[in-house]
Amino acid sequence: MGDEPRWLTGAEMGTWLNLTQILMLMPTALDRQLRDEASLPHTHYHILSALSSSADRSMRMTELARQAGTTTTRLSHAVASLEQRGWVVRKACPTDKRGQIAHLTDAGFAVLAAAAPGHVAEVRRLIFDHLTEEDVARLGAITAKIVPVLNDRS
């Protein structure tokens, strides 16, 4: 027989259940607000936002997929939809013939700028309006410990 599993303590189980509720409910809540107010799925908002924060509003598709927490195939479909709207253009990577770079257009930036105030208000309403400054600092420290583990795909 193998080693006994390290079962969660009562406190860990309660925290885990709260976290899973957040992970399950948050994407739907953010998506609903963005679709209702900006006719924009949260996934597309996230892509536009990531591009707007990068140098020259451009990013390699592989890096954009990593930041969006998705596969390159799924990202490619989303970017194709954004391209059809004129919000993103794809270009060949000058240093890697197989690579592509996504670039946020001025039209895409305008859509993002119009959607951002409502999105930020919803994030505040759902999360930060319920936390003290100390809570925010603790949450930041906690998530900073977890994100690298999730990004480690080795």
Side-chain angles (χ1 to χ4, degrees):
M1 242 195 257
D3 292 335
E4 183 70 20
R6 290 181 52 219
W7 299 109
L8 300 179
T9 66
E12 289 170 337
M13 180 59 82
T15 300
W16 173 243
L17 293 174
N18 285 341
L19 180 58
T20 58
Q21 285 283 295
I22 290 170
L23 295 173
M24 303 280 288
L25 297 172
M26 186 64 64
T28 302
L30 294 174
D31 196 62
R32 184 182 318 112
Q33 177 274 322
L34 283 165
R35 284 181 188 273
D36 289 350
E37 294 182 16
S39 300
L40 185 68
H42 184 247
T43 319
H44 290 182
Y45 179 91
H46 189 68
I47 292 166
L48 297 176
S49 178
L51 288 172
S52 78
S53 300
S54 63
D56 299 327
R57 295 194 264 184
S58 299
M59 190 180 298
R60 282 187 63 119
M61 290 285 287
T62 51
E63 174 60 18
L64 188 54
R66 189 190 66 72
Q67 282 197 21
T70 190
T71 64
T72 52
T73 302
R74 282 191 179 149
L75 176 72
S76 185
H77 289 297
V79 169
S81 177
L82 295 169
E83 278 183 303
Q84 289 174 347
R85 291 170 174 83
W87 300 344
V88 171
V89 293
R90 277 189 268 198
K91 302 174 186 174
C93 180
T95 58
D96 177 4
K97 292 182 183 183
R98 296 183 321 162
Q100 288 189 319
I101 295 175
H103 175 76
L104 179 65
T105 65
D106 290 342
F109 187 79
V111 166
L112 179 65
H119 178 66
V120 170
E122 185 70 349
V123 169
R124 284 199 171 284
R125 184 184 76 79
L126 294 172
I127 304 292
F128 296 105
D129 287 350
H130 308 281
L131 303 177
T132 65
E133 285 184 34
E134 293 81 19
D135 292 337
V136 172
R138 283 196 315 262
L139 184 58
I142 290 165
T143 56
K145 292 178 183 179
I146 297 170
V147 168
V149 176
L150 296 174
N151 280 327
D152 183 15
R153 298 191 175 148
S154 54

